Amino acid sequence: MTEPLNLSSLQPAQARQQRKRVGRGMGSGKGRYAGRGIKGQKSRAGSHKMPAAFEGGQTKLFMRIGKLRGNTSADAMPIGPFRTYTQPVNLRDLDRFDAGAEVTPESLVEAGVIKNTKVDVKILGNGEITKKLTVRVHAISATAREKIEQAGGTVDLLRPPKRKKPVKPTSQQTVAKSKEPAENEAPAESAEEE
């Protein structure tokens, strides 16, 4: 018959092994250098808490390789959670719609072209289209827009395209422009002769 469990009879299921206390004299077996060897980076405090990609000060691998191209925000380098993504749909996939139909993300889901409407839809120009369609999506390539309009269809964007910020001229460009004579000004010598 087993003893009833009480505070006086509690004991661990397995014997707990005491950790080796380092740096407690030569007789302990882990004295002097405490099992870390002599000098070097791994003998220092905090040396075993380095990030996984750390290469001893050398440029990290993910910084040496080329970055993926595409729609990324500035703070997503090299690859971050802010990478934007669009669901590509080719023109040849729109051939299953009837002439005069309205193509929207919802109708593309019903037709089985895309799985859901969680991601923005972009129409690409691969393939041909002969039917007149009204396309309402988030983005479209120039080739696809041209082919749809040639077939008599129309394109409406659900989200207006972002305007690119004008590039500020560098100091060298501004100096060069200031040195160029104005088009309307005549040379000084010709003005004196007249």
Side-chain angles (χ1 to χ4, degrees), residues 64-104:
R64 295 198 303 265
I65 62 175
K67 308 301 182 287
L68 292 178
R69 298 185 178 195
N71 302 322
T72 56
S73 66
D75 52 354
M77 288 299 289
I79 302 166
F82 309 107
R83 176 175 283 278
T84 56
Y85 177 74
T86 53
Q87 175 66 48
V89 175
N90 288 307
L91 271 182
R92 59 173 172 261
D93 298 326
L94 303 184
D95 208 34
R96 65 187 71 191
F97 291 95
D98 297 328
E102 184 177 343
V103 179
T104 61

Side-chain angles (χ1 to χ4, degrees), residues 7 16 33 148-149 156:
L7 291 175
R16 191 173 61 177
Y33 300 116
I148 290 170
E149 289 175 351
D156 294 328

Side-chain angles (χ1 to χ4, degrees), residues 7-192:
L7 291 175
S8 63
S9 64
L10 282 177
Q11 59 183 10
Q14 292 179 339
R16 191 173 61 177
Q17 187 175 0
Q18 293 285 349
R19 71 177 182 86
K20 186 70 174 178
R21 299 181 72 210
V22 298
R24 291 296 182 269
M26 297 294 285
S28 69
K30 287 287 182 182
R32 196 171 184 182
Y33 300 116
R36 294 187 175 203
I38 304 175
K39 297 186 182 177
Q41 185 174 15
K42 290 190 177 178
S43 71
R44 314 300 184 189
S47 63
H48 297 282
K49 295 182 180 178
M50 292 178 288
F54 185 66
E55 297 186 32
Q58 175 176 288
T59 306
K60 301 175 181 107
L61 175 66
F62 71 84
M63 294 182 74
R64 295 198 303 265
I65 62 175
K67 308 301 182 287
L68 292 178
R69 298 185 178 195
N71 302 322
T72 56
S73 66
D75 52 354
M77 288 299 289
I79 302 166
F82 309 107
R83 176 175 283 278
T84 56
Y85 177 74
T86 53
Q87 175 66 48
V89 175
N90 288 307
L91 271 182
R92 59 173 172 261
D93 298 326
L94 303 184
D95 208 34
R96 65 187 71 191
F97 291 95
D98 297 328
E102 184 177 343
V103 179
T104 61
E106 291 77 16
S107 64
L108 289 169
V109 172
E110 290 175 11
V113 179
I114 59 176
K115 289 184 178 179
N116 53 51
T117 58
K118 293 179 182 177
V119 182
D120 291 356
V121 177
K122 181 172 183 177
I123 305 293
L124 302 181
N126 293 339
E128 297 297 328
I129 188 168
T130 55
K131 299 174 182 177
K132 181 179 178 181
L133 299 173
T134 303
V135 181
R136 288 192 173 90
V137 290
H138 300 94
I140 189 168
S141 69
T143 309
R145 180 188 287 271
E146 185 181 341
K147 289 181 179 180
I148 290 170
E149 289 175 351
Q150 280 180 357
T154 57
V155 176
D156 294 328
L157 294 181
L158 299 176
R159 187 174 294 121
K162 293 181 180 178
R163 292 182 179 178
K164 292 184 178 179
K165 294 180 181 177
V167 179
K168 293 181 180 179
T170 61
S171 57
Q172 293 177 350
Q173 290 174 339
T174 52
V175 170
K177 283 185 179 179
S178 62
K179 287 183 179 178
E180 291 177 3
E183 294 178 359
N184 298 333
E185 290 181 6
E189 295 178 359
S190 61
E192 290 176 359

